Amino acid sequence: MDEINLNYAATSNKKPQKAIDSMCNYLAANNFKSTGRGGDADFIEFEARTALGKLFNVKKTENIIFTQNATFALNMIISGALKPGDHVLSTSLEHNAVSRPLELLSQKQGVTVTYLPCENGEGFEPSVIKNHIKPNTKLMVMTHASNVSGAILDYAACAKIAKEYGLLFVLDGAQTAGIIDIDFERSDMDAFVFTGHKTLMGPTGTGGIILKSEAAQALEPIISGGTGSNSHSLLQPDFMPDKFSAGTPNTLGILGLGASVSYIMEAGINNIWNHEVKLTNMFIEGIKQDGVYIYGPKVRVPIVCFNIEGVDNGILEGVLQNKFGIGTRSGLHCSPLAHKSIGTYPTGALRASFGYFNTENEIKYAIDAVNKIVKNREEIEKWI
């Protein structure tokens, strides 16, 4: 069997053919044209915004800001929304894309953070948010789904409480955009962050923010520069999307992202979700046995973190890759808070994650590989 990628939570291994074709055709036909503002670049951005607007139900597509990834987008919001002395609410399942910017502002500006505990890597009761709101609480930022436990958090209830108390609410959809239906207009969230290269199946170097108009007005841009508009002024434009779109865009990546989003809508989010959940449950049931520790709730995004008793998860990753041709990811997955929540810090765990292009035969092969390792764990290091 060809090499199998079970690391879709890091990046989608295969891309839709229509995305590949669109980027290749653009390079072949347009590589002599300017990649700056105007002309093709503006049209490509418009098309991608239109596709994303349909996927997430965004009426004002000019409020969709393209960035190089979700990390950059989260930094833009966190740094653009907070001032010295502010207080932030978050969760213990956050990726470092959230926790590191918050820690930086904590050290430099005295911003304080409360991480709501998610026991065993699962969700929390949203009502506890009220117990942690302070007079200086300005922002709540949280993941939609953990990249470690796979837990899906009840963002709708959290956003409703945040709105009730006048907090800016930001949702990190890096692990859910494109596989879980999200209605931006009907939600109480102020900002939704997405990355292009994971569940949206697009190229790396793409991502963005979707903002409600009130949030767009309240946030301060942290980067300024050329936009192709108001060039007579030395001030950054105050209208969308130019307010947060300084510099030459990743036109090629945005083109590919738009095509990937179009593919997702054609395939159907429910169909994608059902396929990936089926593979996830199949894998869990197939490796479940004495000596195998599986973390996370029953209902989850297509992510399974596990350990095998007596086997270092880094060695386990190496054996799966080198002996069986299966790509996974070991360690802390850029999310130490989540690993503390599931009890695997500091050594971490092995993560297998699945995508729409994985097949049942691939999962059966992976299950067989894991079971062989469990049976022969005493000789595991000889297999590297």
Side-chain angles (χ1 to χ4, degrees):
M1 181 173 285
D2 294 335
E3 286 199 3
I4 298 171
N5 187 287
L6 300 184
N7 194 21
Y8 275 77
T11 193
S12 57
N13 178 42
K14 296 180 180 179
K15 309 298 181 183
Q17 191 60 47
K18 69 184 302 180
I20 296 171
D21 291 344
S22 68
M23 291 189 288
C24 289
N25 291 339
Y26 180 80
L27 284 175
N30 296 282
N31 58 1
F32 61 92
K33 293 185 178 181
S34 169
T35 57
R37 297 290 179 175
D40 285 353
D42 284 346
F43 179 74
I44 288 169
E45 286 190 52
F46 174 81
E47 290 275 282
R49 283 193 178 93
T50 300
L52 287 162
K54 291 179 180 178
L55 181 64
F56 298 124
N57 186 27
V58 182
K59 292 181 179 178
K60 295 185 176 181
T61 56
E62 66 270 22
N63 286 358
I64 300 174
I65 309 302
F66 291 113
T67 63
Q68 65 194 55
N69 46 49
T71 298
F72 194 89
L74 286 162
N75 272 264
M76 285 178 64
I77 296 176
I78 290 169
S79 295
L82 297 175
K83 295 179 174 56
D86 284 346
H87 173 248
V88 181
L89 291 173
S90 193
T91 82
S92 68
L93 293 182
E94 299 308 312
H95 190 278
N96 279 341
V98 169
S99 53
R100 281 183 171 174
L102 290 175
E103 178 62 22
L104 183 64
L105 290 182
S106 175
Q107 293 182 6
K108 290 192 172 184
Q109 297 186 13
V111 168
T112 56
V113 186
T114 298
Y115 291 103
L116 303 173
C118 300
E119 300 296 335
N120 301 316
E122 300 185 20
F124 61 93
E125 171 52 50
S127 63
V128 304
I129 293 172
K130 300 177 182 180
N131 301 332
H132 297 280
I133 295 176
K134 304 176 181 180
N136 62 333
T137 306
K138 296 296 189 296
L139 169 70
M140 180 167 188
V141 53
M142 63 179 285
T143 186
H144 189 186
S146 169
N147 73 315
V148 171
S149 71
I152 304 168
L153 303 188
D154 186 359
Y155 79 87
C158 296
K160 184 177 181 179
I161 294 171
K163 183 176 182 180
E164 179 184 345
Y165 284 84
L167 309 182
L168 187 73
F169 184 88
V170 180
L171 185 68
D172 175 5
Q175 297 294 339
T176 58
I179 62 172
I180 295 180
D181 192 26
I182 294 166
D183 191 323
F184 183 74
E185 291 295 336
R186 293 185 180 180
S187 75
D188 289 316
M189 74 176 88
D190 297 291
F192 178 69
V193 170
F194 62 90
T195 194
H197 69 105
K198 297 181 189 286
T199 47
L200 285 177
M201 306 186 199
T204 55
T206 60
I209 315 166
I210 306 174
L211 294 168
K212 294 284 175 63
S213 294
E214 296 80 2
Q217 292 175 1
L219 287 173
E220 293 294 331
I222 63 170
I223 293 185
S224 58
T227 59
S229 60
N230 285 11
S231 295
H232 63 281
S233 174
L234 298 182
L235 298 176
Q236 189 73 6
D238 60 0
F239 52 85
M240 300 293 287
D242 298 40
K243 182 178 180 179
F244 301 102
S245 302
T248 301
N250 178 9
T251 305
L252 180 63
I254 292 170
L255 175 68
L257 175 61
S260 293
V261 170
S262 176
Y263 172 84
I264 288 171
M265 288 188 289
E266 291 171 2
I269 284 183
N270 289 337
N271 292 331
I272 293 171
W273 170 257
N274 290 335
H275 176 72
E276 294 182 4
V277 167
K278 182 178 182 179
L279 300 184
T280 303
N281 293 336
M282 180 188 302
F283 184 77
I284 291 173
E285 290 302 316
I287 68 170
K288 189 184 296 183
Q289 59 192 289
D290 290 341
V292 177
Y293 304 99
I294 302 171
Y295 310 99
K298 182 176 181 180
V299 178
R300 60 174 77 202
V301 290
I303 289 171
V304 181
C305 267
F306 68 99
N307 276 312
I308 297 176
E309 186 176 3
V311 180
D312 178 85
N313 63 79
I315 292 176
L316 178 56
E317 178 189 354
V319 170
L320 284 171
Q321 179 66 67
N322 298 328
K323 184 173 177 62
F324 297 98
I326 301 171
T328 56
R329 187 175 174 191
S330 61
L332 294 175
H333 311 100
C334 299
S335 189
L337 297 179
H339 277 279
K340 289 179 180 179
S341 295
I342 66 173
T344 53
Y345 184 86
T347 53
L350 188 83
R351 184 183 70 191
S353 50
F354 316 101
Y356 188 53
F357 296 115
N358 282 132
T359 67
E360 291 187 29
N361 284 338
E362 289 177 336
I363 303 309
K364 291 176 182 176
Y365 176 78
I367 290 170
D368 184 58
V370 171
N371 290 337
K372 285 180 180 177
I373 292 171
V374 174
K375 185 177 180 180
N376 299 278
R377 72 185 82 176
E378 292 82 6
E379 302 179 7
I380 191 72
E381 294 190 20
K382 297 178 183 179
W383 290 8
I384 296 180

